[in-house]
Amino acid sequence: MANNNDLRSIAADGLEALKLVARLSWHRNLTTWLYIPAGILLILLACFGVNSLIGLSSVSFPASVACLIALFLALIFLDMIIGDRKTRAVVNIIDVPAGFALRWINIFFTPSFVLLPLSPPIGGVEVAKIIAVFLIGFFVVFAATAYIARFLQVILGTSKRAIAERAEEMGDESDAIPLADSTPRRQNSETTLASNWSTPGFTDDSTNDLIAPRRAQDPSQIRASGGPPESDFPNNSVARNQILQVPLPLTRSQRWAAFINKNLDRLAYLIIFLFIGVPIYYSTGYAMPVQLTFNVLAYFTALSLPPRWRQFLHPVLVSSAITILGIWILGLIRGDSLNTSLSAYRTGTNYLDLWYGEKHLRMPGAGDLLVSVLDASIVALALPMFSYRLELKRHFFAIVIPNVAVSIGSLFGYPALCYAIGISAKRSLAFAGRSLTLALATPAVKNLGGDTNTVAALAIMSGILGALIGSRVLDWLKIPEDDYVTRGVTLGGNSSAIATAVLLVSDPRAAALSSLSMSLFGIITLALTSVPVIVKAIESFVDL
């Protein structure tokens, strides 16, 4: 009888916990499973339409980047026409799907690394050459970018105003960009990006609406603003009552609800993996649901590592390695080889192929879905650019000139040098996108016909190296600590989003410039690689 009562109690507490979770997370779930997917779909539909228009011409330019530029310009014109407040409301709506795409952009890079085992074998000598060119090139380009930006600061006279600008513009130094899971606050009429929406399917561990009840307070002693009591000297009876009151402990159902609410996204993907993905995979052979959910769970695992470890063990690398291992094991159970399982991970069928109605297409794999959503992330880069448009205007030459110089130098220097020392043609072309953020490096290298797997590894390692030693190298180069323009432009143009995330902690204003720099650098490089004459000239360096 006692056991039955215990079971009934557990069942009742479990049901109560589920009710609490449903009540506390219904808005987040609505955003997760409705607003965000619908928003991402609309962004991809816009890319599809623009891609159709581009297809009418002879220009090869990624539709996602064209939409990025169009959205950035549209928001600027909208701000001029309807004003800041109404434009901010529009940005808040766009940021629901776009903020998600930016905050979790790293997971969309994993397919490039997951598919590395399918890459052609590479000899040890070529590997050594690639490492040598990468390291030497990183420091040379890093120093060149820093000195060009610093020189422009000096001749334009802006370096002397750096400290004053920082004091006036940075405010509470809480600026951030969505790339690092933070919300940029508006300084000097910059537009706030409303990143307070709970990230659908990828909610931060800190999300937890269930807290222990607080002690009751005398309403007469509480200000309307929620601040401290009006009197700094409460009477003895009130003080005595507050001392005697003890916070009430959470009930068992509340503890369970708090755990579920905190881990709701992980639990949701685990349930889909076990009860949808696995049965479909082993009954029909279609791998997308099981591989996609496993990829997401692997990324969650990578994010759970301590922050200090993540500086070296980047979540993209860790989650990709776990995903490869999981795909291999899942395939072994069916009797498939690793190559067969990875071929199902990315079949080459993306959203453009499906909407153009191509014939005899394979069903899209997990990698295809992630790469497709990456286009939405590229478009979403318009939001941080718009948020810091005043910085772009104020430091236009210091941002644009170094990025143009480095872009041209990388496009015409790296492939020729790499091919001359014996690196294969496609890998030599991949070096042209070494400094870019991977979201823009991939389409740029595709335009050149280079190896996208190689550029994925180069771009991520550039980011990790810049995050680890970038600030120290700038100190060695005698770049003043208060010159946040040079520091932001240099790190953004050489180490992209990974170094930008580090700057958010140490120098938020430099992080804003870094965000602009990496976006403009990618756009400039993509624009150049979309010109057939330039592409043919670069390909001639590697005998293609």
Side-chain angles (χ1 to χ4, degrees), residues 408-422:
I408 294 174
S410 297
L411 287 173
F412 289 92
Y414 270 126
L417 173 63
C418 292
Y419 191 69
I421 64 174

Side-chain angles (χ1 to χ4, degrees), residues 75 79 83-96 98-99 102-103 172 174-178 182-197 382-390:
L75 290 174
D79 186 60
D84 172 69
R85 180 172 297 180
K86 293 181 179 179
T87 303
R88 194 183 310 174
V90 174
V91 170
N92 290 344
I93 295 173
I94 298 173
D95 188 58
V96 176
L102 283 177
R103 286 189 295 271
D172 60 1
S174 59
D175 284 348
I177 59 173
S182 302
T183 306
R185 289 186 171 86
R186 184 181 180 83
Q187 302 289 342
N188 290 343
S189 301
E190 294 171 0
T191 298
T192 302
L193 298 181
S195 300
N196 292 327
W197 292 86
L383 295 190
M385 289 180 62
F386 176 72
S387 177
Y388 297 109
R389 64 196 182 280
L390 296 184

Side-chain angles (χ1 to χ4, degrees), residues 358-371:
E358 300 286 344
K359 302 293 185 180
H360 309 296
L361 291 174
R362 295 180 62 188
M363 292 288 286
D368 299 300
L369 261 66
L370 294 175
V371 170

Side-chain angles (χ1 to χ4, degrees), residues 161-176:
R161 299 195 302 268
I163 297 177
E165 285 183 355
R166 287 169 65 86
E168 179 182 353
E169 297 173 2
M170 289 181 64
D172 60 1
E173 299 202 8
S174 59
D175 284 348

Side-chain angles (χ1 to χ4, degrees), residues 25 27 40 70 72 112 125 131 133 185 188 201 218 268 317 335 342 360 364 395 404 450 457-458 496 508 515:
S25 63
H27 186 271
I40 294 292
F72 175 66
S112 297
V125 174
I131 294 174
V133 173
R185 289 186 171 86
N188 290 343
D218 184 354
L317 302 178
L342 290 178
H360 309 296
H395 305 290
V404 170
L458 293 173
S496 63
S515 174

